[in-house]
Amino acid sequence: MAVNVEWNQIYCGPAPHPAVLWERWNLDPVVLLALLLMAYLLRRSRRGAAAVFVLAVAFVSPLCALSSALFSARVVHHLLLIAVAAPLLADLIRLPSRGQAGLALAVSTTVLWGWHVPQAYDLALSNIGIYWLMQLSLIASFVWFWQSVFAPDRTPVEAIALVVAGFTQMGMLGALLTFASSQLYEAHAFAPLEWGMLPLTDQQLGGLIMWIPAGIPYAIIVAVLARRFWGAGRVSAT
């Protein structure tokens, strides 16, 4: 059943015309206050400051408005949350969650795939409360996933295998979206036309971003993990 998307209910407002995109900064005082509070609390941490910056790009910069128009921009928005901000935040809170790795992977995968079901996705973009449920559940589930990756008792092989598994599930979702034969999301049924793209092309581009470029932050994390384990003399699986 299709969801009737009300443009005036989309967080960050209606889809912007290309000519006015750079005027569309989100100055929601609640979001700005939350980011300022995070910046203060994490002021002594470079990773914390980087996470706050990434969240500001996602929720304050014109990317937020662009993601109302283009599914591909929404994919970039979500990747910033789950593959950049979430691991930065998780790395600040190291928990001994080695035994929870499988559950954390399953939950984060379910949350990501669940929000890409067309009815759930369109509902999130038509209701501000559901929109924030989407954003917070994505961030929380992936912070948990990355915490399990960075667990102090995690072996190198386990940690890298978890990262590969996390990227694999995202790549599979991206492949499904890339090769879908029809446009799936009512929220992006018309706005891509103003950006010179057919809605299906926009969806395929989003799938490709999720399938290929999304591997960049995952590869960086693998490299960082390998460097840490090497420096700690933990190259072996045991």
Side-chain angles (χ1 to χ4, degrees), residues 24-195:
R24 293 286 302 277
W25 292 77
N26 176 31
L27 302 180
D28 180 350
V30 176
V31 169
L32 294 177
L33 181 60
L35 290 173
L36 286 173
L37 180 60
M38 285 185 64
Y40 175 77
L41 293 174
L42 301 174
R43 64 190 183 280
R44 300 183 186 278
S45 167
R46 292 181 182 178
R47 295 185 185 89
V52 172
F53 174 78
V54 171
L55 292 174
V57 171
F59 291 112
V60 178
S61 82
L63 175 62
C64 189
L66 184 60
S67 64
S68 296
L70 302 179
F71 176 75
S72 52
R74 176 68 58 187
V75 169
V76 173
H77 175 98
H78 284 167
L79 285 176
L80 288 176
L81 300 185
I82 68 178
V84 184
L88 287 170
L89 292 172
D91 202 31
L92 296 174
I93 313 169
R94 302 275 189 94
L95 297 178
S97 54
R98 179 176 179 179
Q100 301 176 2
L103 181 58
L105 175 62
V107 169
S108 59
T109 299
T110 300
V111 170
L112 180 65
W113 282 64
W115 283 119
H116 284 85
V117 172
Q119 292 85 351
Y121 182 95
D122 286 334
L123 180 61
L125 264 67
S126 65
N127 182 289
I128 291 176
I130 303 300
Y131 171 88
W132 279 110
L133 179 61
M134 171 197 270
Q135 308 308 312
L136 294 175
S137 63
L138 284 168
I139 293 172
S141 63
F142 275 86
V143 166
W144 184 24
F145 166 72
W146 290 113
Q147 282 178 334
S148 71
V149 171
F150 301 141
D153 56 351
R154 180 77 57 213
T155 68
V157 170
E158 289 173 340
I160 292 173
L162 272 174
V163 177
V164 171
F167 174 65
T168 298
Q169 62 86 16
M170 182 182 298
M172 290 173 61
L173 177 58
L176 288 174
L177 293 169
T178 300
F179 294 111
S181 59
S182 61
Q183 197 271 337
L184 300 174
Y185 303 110
E186 182 185 348
H188 304 293
F190 302 105
L193 298 172
E194 290 193 340
W195 291 82

